[in-house]
């Protein structure tokens, strides 16, 4: 059986300093060539700090952004046309901001109708039946259908967003920070709903978040993104418990946890490198306590370390570190 | 419907609407009214004064009846003004929507053209067009419409760009809609209000402009007259027979004024920001309207809140954002306030120094004692002296909270000089010292940076430096790390913790993250729906939460290191604070709710030696309170 | 900074070219035959043809444009047939008068407008705000030509404080005080509308700014309210007010056309209207291009001011 989703050397470079005609002055590499596989029924978590390319990656996966290089394969078949409608039937997107992902001037019914009509060409009767089915699945009452988005709370609106994604009948959902805009008590409701739906419909998720704890709680595997590249990928229970890449370690140590004393895990006051002026060698070098000369000379590639954990580092951490 | 209601509530707009209705009605009825022919000259009857026999408003230099000419002229002016507005709005909006939606090169080319047209003082363009087409009312109309197209195009483009980048447009793409369909069903409905606003606020101006061209003799040609050309013809008799000028001039004034009033009303009714009354300027201190007796100071806190109540009065609704909060912080202590969004944490914090935006905020009860002195209702100067000097704030979003147009150094210097008479060079030296104390590398150079030249973490360090500028005794930090990445957050928290220990600061730290509270705070207060539901030493509460809400909230939050799992969710939503239930606000979501919970107010009572709780059925027996 | 100015000046070149194309095209739309228009309908066909040749009208459009442009770049705007004078000379002379009038008005409306807007915002819903709002409404609703006429009636004819019209006394010294007394009424009449618009937009810009977080920060620092409004508030609001001033400069220049008519001010606006009525096309063309070019340069100055004010605009 082939992987649900396979990315090969996918990358995105944004032009900067646009000109009216001719080539742009420079490019920002938002996503460096990156390869990942997601198995059928799996949840792949993607974590990283702001600006590391999470959303760019997600938008490429659903065809909202054409990749600069590389290709996307779904169920073994390449998807190389950048038409969101073709993507739409196979892979769908749940947005971070639930309210702004719903057109304020349409009723929920009109919003739900769109994918059924334009992706599946259903007639009115079939649509009504299908919407009822989906709404039951996401615990929304059908009386909501004739209301407008502003009448809903964030949690409800996010359920509607999820319902719309389900309506497209895609097997793969890209969840881009689906709970970051929600309150913690509502966040848990939505996360649990997502888990149920996955079971019920046999979905595959890519779950993007900056919250390590949430990602750990919902994912099978986790990929850690830094400066547009995957620096570590492996089973969720191992990546944060026993990080191999120094950056993953830094992330895990920085997360505030009840019962752990406060400490600045990073002595140097440094932050992300400048994307317009990327450093040579390993991008994490300036912040890395283990950096050596090797790290300045070449970019480390993602290599299997142990127990299916891969990390892109010349001096990966061992269990004893 | 609500639009019309909003409009009618606005008295000025209503007045404009009534005047306009009358004028339009009269203009429509002009052909069937018993008026003399406006173009028949009768030189024997020249310059009759108003209210003379058979000529209500007098006659003009050719003896034509002014009242009749006024009606016909109004009719013409209105028609031309409206037509120009509609034409300009339609064409301009179409151009703007297309440029804004497609972006990129299409946008670039179109907008350069628009800029080019806007490079003319508009009348030059209009004059050039009239010069080419020849004088005449229709040509004047074309000219006025044409010169206004760029204004509409630019305005609408700006709005469209905003909408085209909204997530619902992406969502529509993923639902398989074509660009044309997206423009029609997703973009245009959201742009229409802006078009209507733009049109209603410029239509008066268009009427003025067409009248102007006619006034210059380039619009309507004799004998036909609109209001502008009437005025133009009357000009030569201005001194001898002013009424011939005043009549058409006053008419234009009345029409344009009515349209402007109406247009403003339309704008206010359609602009959602104005609906909520949000576009009002906050006053220097929060309004205070206390009716109950003011509580007396008690306890040894340097800053203590007693029964603080803050409300927002929006239209006819009252949001009880803070419904009686008691808190106190001692020197050197860090007090955490934790709660979900909307629970009233920020409003509590801002109320202390009277910084809640007002209108609509009002402090309706309670007291804030700083060293025994009540700050609520204190005179502005007293508050100002304490603000930033004794009690300083650190806010959430460091980009929005620093002034974008001053260097961080200038802002630090200002903070110092607001409270101390020091020379600027001394203050600058102190600013650099402050930047060093918050561990900003290369402080001597950084002091001259603008906020946008710094990263988020740096900016928040500047925010902290600014709070430290005058060695305050209390720092109130409202989610200072929420906008930051975890690695940066860890640095900032460590910094704050060090500073507090070095300087013996009292900190009120607001957050929604239990991990942060656990690491930083000595005591914690949990807020729900504007009130504190549980308070006590951090360890005790986190180890053994006593309030059902605290316990459930903690269970909701995944914590790193526990692996993949099902989370315990709290069903339902927090109550809206303008419709709080009687009794316990958590009752609707609490599995232990009993009828006693809903019958009356539940007090924040002691629970063991050091804790307080607002619940009649705690999760743990009181003996375990110190665990 | 000089780099930025140079960049903006260079970027003005295509705009200026565009403006010349637009003007040229509009003029090329003129129906019928300009030579006939110039010579009147009794002209002999030979004369018409000769004039057409003189004006270069027998050549293709593109070629005509470049000839016209080339001549203009050499300072040759052609000759006005109605005045029998070089277009450029006439335009320069008239433009001086307009500049004096419009410049004075612009200074008045900028200062008054911004000040009124700030006061109005700072005292939102107070008495001052209501008074200013009403005055502004009146100001933006009154046609400037009507206002000018009423001002003549009241201040010149009835009260005799100021002369009725013109730029200089017919008899008597052409000194500064004479100029000021002639300038006062038209400059004020011209400024009123723009003052209203600027006050209105300044008010809303201020209200917008005063709600921002950084204003709250300033207050939390203990900055005095006066500074909060004028230093923090106005400075930030100027970022959106300055472009408005730039646009309003165009409106003042435009409004000058009416005011010049009403007050018999010998400016470029009146010249253009006369030229249109006499179908003196070259004069119209030259006047429009010249004034538009000056306006483009003025807008560059506005942009430079903006970039001085706002460090976020990359210099
Ligand atoms: N300017 C305002 N006008 C009207 N209501 C307001 C205003 N500001 C706050 N509120 C209301 O006051 C209540 C408390 O808000 P507050 O900002 O204190 O919450 P919070 O606990 O700080 O939330 P968050 O975690 O989102 O910062 C909310 O119901 C909010 O809607
Ligand atoms: S490659 Fe070198 S610099 Fe990069 S993370 Fe590994 S040890 Fe650090
Ligand atoms: S008072 Fe009653 S409803 Fe409220 S939290 Fe306690 S047990 Fe639950
Ligand atoms: Mg808050």
């Amino acid at each position: 059986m082939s992987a649900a989703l396979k990315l090969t050397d996918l990358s995105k470079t944004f032009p900067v300093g646009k000109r009216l005609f001719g080539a742009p002055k420079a490019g920002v590499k938002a996503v460096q060539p990156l390869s990942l596989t997601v198995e059928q029924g799996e949840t792949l978590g993607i974590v990283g700090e702001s600006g590391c390319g999470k959303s760019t990656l997600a938008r490429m996966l659903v065809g909202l952004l054409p990749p600069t290089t590389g290709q996307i394969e779904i169920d073994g078949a390449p998807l190389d046309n950048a038409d969101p409608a073709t993507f739409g039937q196979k892979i769908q997107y749940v947005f971070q901001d639930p309210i702004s992902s719903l057109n304020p001037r349409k009723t929920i019914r009109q919003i739900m109708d769109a994918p059924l009509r334009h992706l599946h060409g259903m007639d009115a009767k079939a649509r009504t039946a299908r919407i009822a089915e989906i709404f039951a699945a996401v615990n929304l009452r059908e009386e909501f259908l004739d209301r407008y988005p502003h009448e809903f709370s964030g949690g409800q609106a996010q359920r509607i967003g999820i319902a719309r994604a389900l309506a497209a009948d895609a097997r793969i959902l890209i969840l881009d920070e689906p709970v970051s805009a929600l309150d913690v008590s509502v966040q848990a409701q939505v996360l649990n709903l997502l888990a149920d739906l996955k079971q019920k419909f046999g979905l595959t998720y890519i779950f993007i978040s900056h919250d390590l704890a949430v990602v750990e709680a919902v994912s099978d595997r986790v990929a850690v993104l830094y400066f547009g590249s995957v620096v570590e990928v492996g089973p969720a229970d191992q990546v944060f418990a026993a990080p191999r890449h120094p950056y993953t370690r830094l992330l895990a140590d920085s997360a505030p946890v009840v019962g752990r004393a406060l400490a600045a895990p990073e002595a140097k006051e440094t932050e992300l490198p400048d994307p317009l002026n990327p450093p040579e060698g390993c991008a994490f070098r300036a912040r890395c306590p283990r950096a050596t000369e090797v790290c300045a000379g070449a970019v480390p590639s993602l290599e299997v370390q142990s127990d299916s954990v891969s990390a892109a580092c010349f001096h990966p951490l061992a269990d004893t570190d | 419907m609500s639009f019309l209601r909003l409009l009618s509530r606005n008295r000025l707009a209503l007045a404009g609407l009534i005047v306009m209705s009358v004028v339009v009605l009269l203009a429509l009825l002009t052909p069937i009214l018993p008026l003399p022919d406006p173009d028949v000259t009768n030189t024997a009857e020249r310059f009759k004064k108003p209210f003379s026999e058979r000529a209500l408003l007098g006659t003009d230099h050719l003896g034509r009846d002014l009242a009749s000419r006024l009606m016909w002229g109004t009719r013409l002016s209105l028609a031309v003004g409206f037509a120009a507005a509609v034409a300009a709005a339609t064409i301009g909006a179409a151009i703007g929507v297309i440029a804004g939606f497609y972006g990129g090169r299409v946008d670039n080319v179109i907008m350069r053209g628009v800029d080019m047209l806007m490079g003319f003082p508009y009348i030059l363009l209009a004059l050039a067009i009239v010069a080419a087409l020849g004088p005449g009312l229709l040509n004047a109309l074309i000219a006025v419409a044409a010169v206004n197209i760029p204004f509409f195009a630019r305005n609408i483009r700006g709005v469209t760009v905003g909408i085209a980048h909204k997530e619902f447009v992406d969502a529509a793409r993923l639902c398989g809609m074509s660009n044309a369909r997206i423009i029609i069903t997703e973009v245009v409905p959201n742009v229409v209000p802006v078009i209507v606003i733009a049109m209603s606020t410029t239509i008066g101006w268009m009427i003025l402009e067409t009248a102007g061209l006619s006034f210059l003799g380039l619009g309507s040609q004799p004998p036909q007259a609109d209001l502008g050309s009437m005025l133009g013809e009357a000009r030569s008799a201005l001194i001898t027979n002013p009424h011939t000028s005043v009549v058409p001039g006053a008419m234009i004034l009345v029409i344009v004024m009515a349209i402007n009033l109406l247009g403003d009303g339309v704008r206010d009714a359609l602009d959602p920001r104005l609906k909520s009354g949000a576009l009002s300027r906050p006053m220097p201190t929060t309004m205070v309207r206390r009716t109950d007796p003011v509580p007396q100071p008690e306890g040894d806190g340097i800053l203590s809140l007693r029964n603080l109540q803050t409300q927002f009065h929006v239209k006819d609704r009252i949001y009880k954002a803070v419904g009686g909060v008691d808190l106190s912080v001692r020197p050197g202590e860090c007090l955490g306030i934790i709660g979900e969004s909307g629970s009233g944490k920020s409003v509590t914090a801002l109320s202390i120094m009277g910084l809640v935006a007002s209108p609509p905020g009002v402090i309706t009860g309670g007291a804030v004692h700083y060293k025994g002195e009540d700050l609520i209702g204190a005179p502005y100067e007293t508050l100002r002296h304490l603000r930033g000097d004794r009690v300083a704030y650190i806010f959430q979003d460091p980009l929005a909270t620093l002034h974008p147009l001053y260097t961080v150094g200038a802002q630090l210097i200002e903070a110092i000089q607001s409270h101390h008479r020091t020379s600027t060079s001394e203050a600058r030296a102190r600013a650099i010292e402050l930047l060093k104390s918050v561990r900003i590398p290369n402080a001597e150079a950084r002091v001259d940076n603008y906020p946008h030249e710094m990263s988020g973490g740096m900016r928040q360090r500047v925010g902290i430096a600014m709070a430290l500028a005058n060695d305050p005794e209390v720092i109130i930090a409202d989610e200072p790390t929420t906008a930051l990445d975890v690695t940066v957050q860890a640095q900032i928290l460590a910094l704050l913790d060090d500073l507090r220990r070095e300087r013996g600061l009292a900190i009120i730290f607001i957050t929604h993250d239990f991990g942060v509270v656990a690491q930083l705070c000595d005591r914690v207060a949990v807020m729900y729906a504007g009130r504190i539901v549980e308070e006590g030493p951090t360890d005790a509460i986190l180890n053994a939460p006593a309030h059902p809400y605290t316990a459930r909230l903690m269970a909701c939050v995944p914590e790193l290191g526990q692996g993949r799992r099902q989370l315990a969710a709290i069903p339902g939503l927090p109550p809206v604070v303008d419709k709080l239930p009687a009794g316990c606000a958590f009752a609707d979501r609490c599995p232990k709710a009993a009828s006693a919970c809903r019958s009356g107010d539940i007090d924040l009572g002691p629970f063991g030696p050091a804790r307080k709780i607002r619940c009649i059925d705690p999760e743990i027996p009181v003996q375990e309170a110190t665990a | 900074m000089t780099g930025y100015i140079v960049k903006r000046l260079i970027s003005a070149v295509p705009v200026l070219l565009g403006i010349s194309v637009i003007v040229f095209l509009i003029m090329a739309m003129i129906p019928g035959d300009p030579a006939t228009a110039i010579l009147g309908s009794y002209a002999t066909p030979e004369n018409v043809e000769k004039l057409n040749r003189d004006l270069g009208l027998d050549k293709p459009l593109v070629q005509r444009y470049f000839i016209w442009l080339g001549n203009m770049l050499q300072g040759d705007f052609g000759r006005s047939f109605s005045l029998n004078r070089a277009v450029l000379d006439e335009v320069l002379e008239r433009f001086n008068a307009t500049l004096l009038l419009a410049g004075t008005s612009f200074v008045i409306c900028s200062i008054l407008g911004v000040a009124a807007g700030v006061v109005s915002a700072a005292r939102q819903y107070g008495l001052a705000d209501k008074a200013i709002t009403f005055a502004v409404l009146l100001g933006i609703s009154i046609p400037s030509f009507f206002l000018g006429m009423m001002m003549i009636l009241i201040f010149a004819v009835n009260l005799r404080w100021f002369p009725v019209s013109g730029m200089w006394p017919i008899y008597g010294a052409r000194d500064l005080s004479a100029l000021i007394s002639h300038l006062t009424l038209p400059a004020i009449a011209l400024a009123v509308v723009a003052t209203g618009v600027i006050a209105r937009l300044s008010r809303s810009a201020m209200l917008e700014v005063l709600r921002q977080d950084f204003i709250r920060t300033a207050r939390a620092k203990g900055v005095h309210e006066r500074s909060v409004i004028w230093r923090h508030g106005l400075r930030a609001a100027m970022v959106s007010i300055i472009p408005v001033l730039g646009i309003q400069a165009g409106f003042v220049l435009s409004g000058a056309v009416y005011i010049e008519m009403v007050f018999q001010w010998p400016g470029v606006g009146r010249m253009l209207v006369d030229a249109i009525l006499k179908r003196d096309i070259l004069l119209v063309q030259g006047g429009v291009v010249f004034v538009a070019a000056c306006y483009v340069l003025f807008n560059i100055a506005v942009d430079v001011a903006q970039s001085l004010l706002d460090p976020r605009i990359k210099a």
Side-chain angles (χ1 to χ4, degrees), chain B residues 234-558:
Chain B
R235 190 161 61 89
S236 49
L238 171 66
I239 295 170
T240 50
N241 287 288
H243 74 274
T244 50
S245 305
V246 172
V247 166
M251 190 65 181
I252 301 179
L253 177 62
V254 166
I255 291 177
V256 176
M257 196 145 147
I259 289 182
N260 282 338
L261 283 174
L262 187 58
D264 289 355
V266 169
R267 182 198 60 201
D268 292 357
L270 284 181
D271 192 330
R273 284 180 317 164
L274 296 163
K275 248 184 221 168
S276 59
L279 244 193
S280 61
R281 124 205 169 67
M283 297 195 298
T285 59
T286 310
M287 237 184 309
V288 177
R289 233 182 275 146
R290 287 185 294 191
T291 44
D292 295 339
V294 177
Q296 290 307 305
E298 77 178 24
D300 57 351
I302 179 166
L303 190 68
S304 71
L305 282 56
R306 297 219 36 216
N307 193 27
L308 180 70
Q309 295 166 38
T310 307
Q311 305 181 341
F312 292 98
H313 295 194
V314 181
K315 295 270 161 58
D316 34 10
R317 295 200 179 185
I318 295 179
Y319 295 85
K320 294 183 183 162
V322 177
V325 161
D326 294 86
L327 275 178
S328 141
V329 59
R330 284 185 292 273
E333 183 185 44
C334 180
L335 168 71
I337 302 182
I338 193 166
E340 291 180 84
S341 184
S343 58
K345 309 182 294 291
S346 300
V347 177
T348 304
L350 292 172
S351 299
I352 294 173
M353 283 283 138
L355 287 170
V356 176
S358 155
V362 190
I363 295 178
T364 52
V368 172
H369 296 292
Y370 166 76
K371 293 189 173 164
E373 183 192 0
D374 184 17
L375 299 183
I376 304 295
Y380 168 71
E381 270 303 318
T382 313
L383 275 179
R384 187 184 79 74
H385 278 297
L386 291 174
R387 284 176 181 177
D389 189 39
R390 302 294 84 218
V391 181
Y393 281 88
I394 306 171
F395 296 108
Q396 173 169 347
D397 176 357
L399 184 58
T401 51
L402 293 175
H403 198 294
L405 307 180
Y406 290 108
T407 61
V408 298
Q411 299 187 51
L412 285 166
I413 291 170
E414 185 187 36
I416 297 164
Q417 290 184 332
S418 293
H419 299 286
H420 299 279
R421 286 185 172 277
T422 45
S423 70
T424 301
S425 62
E426 253 175 83
R428 186 182 157 89
R430 170 104 178 97
I432 293 175
E433 206 178 292
L434 283 167
L435 290 181
K436 284 183 179 156
S437 72
V438 292
R439 299 183 208 144
I440 287 189
N442 200 2
E444 286 84 359
R446 285 293 188 176
V447 73
D448 293 320
N449 276 18
Y450 288 95
H452 72 273
E453 297 168 325
M454 302 182 129
S455 68
M458 284 293 175
R459 284 193 286 259
Q460 195 55 291
R461 283 168 201 272
V462 172
I464 295 173
M466 200 136 76
L468 295 173
N470 297 299
D471 270 317
E473 289 160 295
V474 185
I475 284 191
I476 300 172
D478 188 356
E479 310 212 29
T481 57
T482 305
L484 306 175
D485 281 325
V486 265
T487 55
V488 183
Q489 160 167 301
Q491 296 168 7
I492 298 282
L493 291 179
L495 171 67
L496 272 176
D497 198 44
D498 290 351
L499 289 170
R500 149 167 98 104
R501 289 184 206 288
E502 282 163 21
R503 306 183 178 218
L505 284 170
I507 297 185
I508 297 181
F509 192 97
I510 295 174
T511 177
H512 59 251
D513 188 330
F514 280 105
V516 172
V517 165
Q519 292 184 327
L520 195 69
C521 302
D522 306 308
R523 272 188 313 130
V524 62
V526 183
M527 280 192 83
Y528 187 75
R531 293 177 144 195
I532 290 176
V533 294
E534 178 162 17
E535 194 227 294
T538 308
D539 295 341
I541 290 188
L542 294 189
N543 287 335
H547 195 282
Y549 174 64
T550 317
R552 293 209 164 38
L553 188 63
M554 285 174 65
C556 284
V557 188

Side-chain angles (χ1 to χ4, degrees), chain B residues 547-549 583-594 596-598 602 614-618:
Chain B
H547 195 282
Y549 174 64
C584 176
F586 188 60
D588 285 342
R589 307 171 77 186
C590 180
K592 297 159 81 176
C597 302
R598 301 181 201 265
I602 294 163
R614 195 188 291 275
C615 174
I616 52 174
D617 185 7

Side-chain angles (χ1 to χ4, degrees), chain A:
Chain A
M1 182 168 141
S2 58
L5 183 66
K6 187 156 180 269
L7 316 177
T8 322
D9 287 334
L10 203 63
S11 80
K12 180 72 196 176
T13 306
F14 288 109
V16 273
K18 274 198 195 135
R19 297 173 183 173
L20 189 52
F21 301 103
K25 291 175 186 137
V28 167
K29 289 192 171 156
V31 174
Q32 317 263 3
L34 161 159
S35 302
L36 273 176
T37 349
V38 189
E39 298 302 330
Q40 215 78 55
E42 185 183 40
T43 298
L44 174 71
I46 295 183
V47 287
E49 295 177 283
S50 59
C52 72
K54 300 187 297 276
S55 290
T56 309
L57 174 61
R59 292 169 61 81
M60 282 195 286
L61 292 182
V62 289
L64 286 172
L65 267 182
T68 309
T69 66
Q71 65 166 333
I72 301 168
E73 253 173 57
I74 291 179
D75 295 328
L79 247 189
D80 32 28
N81 99 29
D83 175 15
T86 326
F87 276 81
Q89 302 184 18
K90 314 213 153 171
I91 187 163
Q92 273 289 338
Y93 195 73
V94 175
F95 294 86
Q96 169 166 4
D97 182 346
I99 301 284
S100 88
S101 72
L102 305 176
N103 185 347
R105 300 198 175 263
K106 281 184 157 185
T107 62
I108 305 305
R109 187 187 302 281
Q110 288 170 314
I111 289 170
M112 288 298 297
D113 268 347
L116 299 176
R117 207 148 104 189
H118 302 296
L119 292 174
H120 298 289
M122 289 187 184
D123 62 20
K125 218 173 114 213
R127 289 202 300 264
T128 313
R130 179 88 177 109
I131 290 174
E133 205 177 298
I134 296 167
F135 260 47
V138 297
N139 298 328
L140 284 171
R141 277 177 271 150
E142 276 181 63
E143 69 201 50
F144 288 173
L145 282 171
D146 295 311
R147 299 206 195 153
Y148 286 88
H150 69 262
E151 297 173 53
F152 296 94
S153 70
Q156 288 168 327
Q158 195 58 296
R159 278 171 205 271
I160 295 169
I162 292 169
R164 173 175 55 193
L166 290 178
D169 209 19
R171 297 275 77 119
I172 306 173
L173 290 195
I174 311 289
L175 307 155
D176 187 1
E177 307 251 13
V179 294
S180 323
L182 306 180
D183 259 329
V184 270
S185 70
V186 180
Q187 162 180 322
Q189 297 170 5
V190 172
L191 290 177
N192 289 341
L193 170 69
L194 284 171
D196 286 349
L197 293 173
K198 188 177 153 182
Q199 280 267 303
K200 203 180 284 172
F201 299 113
L203 301 171
T204 304
Y205 288 163
I206 292 191
F207 189 101
I208 298 174
S209 176
H210 65 272
D211 187 331
L212 308 192
V214 168
V215 166
E216 193 192 50
V218 301
S219 309
D220 300 302
R221 277 194 315 139
V222 174
V224 181
L225 229 53
Y226 184 73
F227 203 57
S229 324
V230 175
V231 295
E232 179 160 1
V233 55
D237 46 3
Q238 285 173 37
V239 166
F240 296 123
R244 302 289 161 194
H245 194 282
Y247 175 64
T248 316
R249 164 71 151 284
L250 172 65
L251 273 184
D253 287 354
S254 300
V257 173
V258 178
R260 184 161 80 193
L262 184 62
E266 192 173 22
K268 297 184 210 159
E269 316 289 340
T270 44
E271 280 151 34
L272 282 174
D274 177 7
L276 268 176
N277 196 2
E280 306 248 305
C282 175
F284 189 57
R285 184 161 47 94
R287 304 169 71 177
C288 183
R290 300 168 73 89
T292 63
E293 261 163 47
V294 197
C295 313
V299 181
S301 58
L302 201 60
E303 270 158 37
V304 177
Q305 307 292 339
S306 63
D307 342 313
S308 64
V309 176
S310 306
C313 177
F314 294 118
H315 312 292
L317 297 147
D319 288 335
T320 49
D321 287 310

